[in-house]
């Protein structure tokens, strides 16, 4: 087969359906609504595990023994704090930037300070990975504080990963349910096949760049509204709709105008996203607990309208539809929702980038050329 015919037969817009890597990390079964990490069903992990264990599982391939767990968690705690210049930079950049842009700057800045980071050595890149898993919650929490003009809260080594993130973000320790909800949300976001930001991390590492650069690419990619940025907009939409009675008209008009409804639809899931199912239960719980059921009832009505109108096209709520409501109920402002997504996804990014690096092949797809077929004559600028 000639090179041209390979190009011809394998063309797929957005690489949809193209298999470009092999992985043992996990898979998404979009037709049956299943998400699996290293052979474990996400529902089982969400119920029985915690984020530290899940991040270890993704990185190493097996659930840790008690000793392995203790050692891993001790390593995370040792690396979780930031240095003074890093807190200072967060204060400075947060004055003008969206939290996702500040996060991107911070990962890049911390990477720039690590002179040994360019070693394409797996062990070195794994150390960086653990360092990033440890630091991401601290960075995002500090961005949250800086955005609100509040003092930074230093990490508390006695708290779990997600409780510590909550504490550093809000200045108070979470209650048991808040801690569990946040931990579950982070587990549910930890990995999700070869999504755009994970692919960006793999693409970057495939050039034998370093893990800081890979994660900087991933953060930049997650920022977009078709990917991680949808949660912020989903909550804005639910609030705009305001009451269940408005849902039919507002959503109907948007569909009529061919507008995308944020928090719905997925490139892989053509049924209900299993992560959304779990988060919906929490959103309901939070709404009832806070005695503010209106927002949840509005969301439920939007879901009903969407499924009635577009369910036959395989469009259902995705992970972003209900996550924002949960974060909001905990006191997080919408602009910090996507950085929270990044705190969960960091372990998937680094695990998949490391796995790819261990059997690396530079990513280099092609584009089908549909421009001028004849060579054009160059005309000097003053003759055009
Ligand atoms: N609202 C309204 N219509 C939709 C939506 C939506 N959210 N999603 C898809 N459609 C329609 C779309 O207009 C198109 O209709 P038609 O066939 O008449 O042209 C059809 O469904 C196929 O859409 P598509 O955009 O080609 O499908 P895709 O596989 O590229 O969609 C998606 C995936 C996530 C980009 C899209 O569903 C979307 O833009 N959703 C809103 C953004 C969102 O919630 N993103 C978060 C995704 S989950 C988090 C993550 O894992 O990254």
């Amino acid at each position: 087969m000639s090179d041209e015919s390979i190009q011809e037969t394998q063309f797929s817009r957005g690489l949809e359906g193209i298999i470009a890597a092999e992985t043992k990390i996990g898979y998404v079964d979009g037709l049956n609504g299943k998400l699996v990490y290293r052979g474990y069903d996400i529902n089982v992990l969400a119920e029985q595990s915690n984020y530290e264990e899940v991040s270890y599982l993704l990185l190493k391939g097996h659930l840790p023994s008690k000793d392995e767990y203790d050692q891993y968690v001790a390593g995370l705690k040792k690396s979780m704090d930031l240095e003074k210049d890093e807190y200072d930079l967060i204060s400075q950049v947060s004055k003008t930037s969206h939290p996702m842009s500040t996060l991107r700057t911070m990962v890049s800045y911390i990477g720039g300070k690590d002179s040994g980071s360019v070693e394409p050595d797996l062990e070195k890149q794994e150390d960086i990975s653990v360092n990033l898993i440890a630091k991401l919650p601290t960075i995002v929490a500090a961005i949250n504080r800086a955005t609100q003009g509040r003092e930074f809260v230093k990490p508390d080594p006695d708290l779990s990963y997600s409780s510590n993130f909550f504490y550093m973000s809000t200045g108070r320790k979470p209650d048991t349910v808040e801690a569990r909800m946040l931990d579950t949300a982070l587990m549910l976001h930890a990995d999700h096949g070869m999504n755009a930001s994970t692919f960006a991390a793999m693409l970057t590492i495939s050039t034998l760049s370093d893990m800081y650069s890979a994660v900087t690419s991933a953060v930049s990619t997650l920022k977009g509204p078709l990917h991680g940025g949808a949660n912020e907009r989903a909550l804005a939409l639910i609030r705009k709709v305001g009451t269940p009675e408005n849902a039919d008209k507002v959503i109907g008009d948007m569909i009529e105008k061919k507008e995308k409804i944020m928090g719905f639809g997925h490139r892989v899931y053509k049924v209900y996203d299993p992560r959304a199912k779990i988060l919906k239960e929490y959103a309901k719980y939070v709404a009832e607990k806070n005695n503010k059921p209106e927002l949840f009832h509005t969301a439920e009505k939007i879901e009903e309208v969407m499924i009635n109108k577009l369910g036959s096209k395989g469009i259902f709520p995705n992970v972003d539809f209900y996550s924002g409501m949960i974060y909001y109920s905990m006191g997080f402002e919408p602009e910090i929702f996507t950085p929270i997504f990044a705190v969960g996804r960091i372990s998937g990014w680094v695990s998949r980038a490391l796995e790819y690096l261990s059997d690396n092949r530079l990513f280099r797809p092609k584009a089908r050329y549909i421009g001028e077929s004849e060579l054009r004559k160059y005309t000097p600028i003053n003759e055009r």
Side-chain angles (χ1 to χ4, degrees), residues 92-112:
Q92 185 60 30
V93 180
S94 293
K95 285 181 193 154
T96 49
S97 299
H98 184 281
M100 278 303 276
S101 302
T102 312
L103 176 59
R104 183 185 56 205
T105 301
M106 290 314 299
V107 174
S108 176
Y109 178 72
I110 291 172

Side-chain angles (χ1 to χ4, degrees), residues 13 16 189 192 195-197 222 224-231 234 254-255 258-270 273 275 306 310 313-321 341 345:
R13 281 182 73 222
E16 191 166 355
H189 283 89
H192 205 244
N195 56 85
S197 56
L222 185 70
L226 294 188
H227 190 9
N231 50 16
M254 288 177 77
I255 293 174
K258 292 247 162 228
E259 285 177 39
K260 286 270 178 79
I261 315 296
M262 293 294 140
F264 285 87
H266 202 277
R267 177 61 62 79
V268 184
Y269 292 120
K270 298 305 165 200
D273 181 335
R275 304 167 298 173
M306 281 296 285
L310 297 175
K313 274 190 177 179
I315 293 170
F316 292 88
N318 61 49
V319 69
D320 284 329
F321 191 58
F341 189 151
R345 186 55 57 87

Side-chain angles (χ1 to χ4, degrees), residues 23 28 57 86 106 147 171 173 242 252 297 313 327 351 357 378:
T23 182
V28 185
L57 172 70
E86 293 160 358
M106 290 314 299
T147 310
K173 293 183 181 160
H297 288 148
K313 274 190 177 179
Y327 302 146
S351 301
L357 186 61
Y378 180 82

